[in-house]
Each structure stands twice: as C-alpha cells, then as structure tokens.
Amino acid sequence: MTNSDLKKHLADIIGLLSIPGIGRGRYHRLVKEFGSAQAALKASRSKLEKVSGISRALADEVKTKYDPESARQMAARVIQLGWTVRLFAEDGFPRRLTNIPEADIPPVLFTQGDTDFEAPAIAIVGTRHPTEQGKIFTYNLAKALAEAGITVVSGMADGVDAAAHKGALDA
C-alpha cells in the first residue's frame, strides 16, 4: 500500500472511530456489514440503522459528526511521525490480539520502535492527571522494563500513559 493509499484508508478508520458512540464493537459490525470504514461512512442513514447496535440517533451522528478534514490531518500526522500502522485482519497485526472477542480487538494499532509481538509485554495505563511522583515512577518503571527487553504497551493518553511511552522510548 502506498503512503497515499494508507493515508486515505487510515483517515477513514480514524474518522469512523472518532464519531461519538462508535467504539471497537460497533466499528467492527459496521465494517463487517459494509466492507470498509469508507463504505460505512458513505452508507445512508437507513442502511446504518439496520446494523445491530446502530440506533437512529447514532446513524445521525455518523452522518453529521464525521470530520473528514480532521481525520485526514490526523492520518497525515501519523505517517509524518513514521509510526507503523497495523490494521486488524492484515499482515503485521499481533496474532495474540486475534484471540480475544472481536468486539474488543482494536481496529488499528500504531507502533514505534522495535516490536516483537511474541515477546513478553506489559500494559501501563493510568490517570491522565498523575502526581509528579507518579509520572517519575511510571517513567522509571517503563524504562527499566524496556531495557529488560519487555515490550511496553500503553493507550497514548496524557499523564501516566505519556510517562510510560517516554520511559520506554528513552530506553
């Protein structure tokens, strides 16, 4: 897939996932029904409403809250940063994640650095408003784990997640 194709595909995924009320489960149901995020975004309200878990109000959200420009900018930024994009059901997606219920599988993962999805891994997530001590502890913990060869996984939020990312990447 070229960078241009990836950017468009990723923008559709980001756009659909950015709509309030569309989480992993509804995302997977919509893509299964329509074949892609792009097709789901283009579907009519009446067709959206026929999908399990999509109410009339949520179908309206899909039609009114989708912000293609914001989604394109976010996709362009991901590519500019050089992050690796791993899409569900495509080569490179962590095999272990496919063993959980589909509604819980993240549709897209962004990775940076060396990734060995078969290696030991630990997730570090927490408050977006930690104390300074909490940030320092998290940074040091993530750094020590990464230096020991353990993959550190986090949710990309501010606070504890950001401290975990920084510690792991600094290692």
Side-chain angles (χ1 to χ4, degrees):
M1 187 178 298
T2 67
N3 268 1
S4 177
D5 292 338
L6 175 61
K7 187 167 119 180
K8 174 63 179 130
H9 188 54
L10 184 57
D12 293 335
I13 293 167
I14 290 169
L16 185 56
L17 286 168
S18 296
I19 295 168
I22 303 294
R24 292 179 300 241
R26 288 187 177 118
Y27 173 89
H28 286 298
R29 283 193 294 271
L30 287 166
V31 169
K32 191 175 278 184
E33 177 69 26
F34 297 106
S36 69
Q38 179 184 42
L41 288 165
K42 289 182 177 180
S44 68
R45 280 180 176 85
S46 61
K47 286 185 179 180
L48 289 167
E49 286 178 49
K50 292 179 182 176
V51 177
S52 172
I54 306 296
S55 64
R56 169 168 278 165
L58 188 51
D60 285 341
E61 291 283 294
V62 171
K63 300 314 287 177
T64 61
K65 300 291 182 178
Y66 169 53
D67 183 353
E69 184 55 32
S70 177
R72 278 192 294 273
Q73 288 175 4
M74 194 175 300
R77 183 72 175 140
V78 165
I79 291 167
Q80 177 191 24
L81 290 169
W83 293 353
T84 301
V85 177
R86 300 180 188 280
L87 302 171
F88 171 68
E90 292 190 6
D91 289 341
F93 195 83
R95 183 181 50 78
R96 284 195 227 171
L97 285 178
T98 62
N99 294 326
I100 62 176
E102 186 174 277
D104 295 329
I105 298 173
V108 62
L109 295 174
F110 305 106
T111 61
Q112 186 176 15
D114 295 329
T115 51
D116 176 1
F117 294 113
E118 299 304 318
I122 189 163
I124 300 177
V125 294
T127 181
R128 292 180 183 194
H129 307 286
T131 64
E132 195 58 36
Q133 268 185 308
K135 287 189 236 178
I136 292 167
F137 174 82
T138 303
Y139 171 89
N140 289 331
L141 175 63
K143 187 170 189 252
L145 289 166
E147 287 171 343
I150 297 173
T151 299
V152 177
V153 179
S154 195
M156 290 185 60
D158 290 333
V160 165
D161 293 39
H165 285 298
K166 180 146 179 46
L169 291 172
D170 286 352

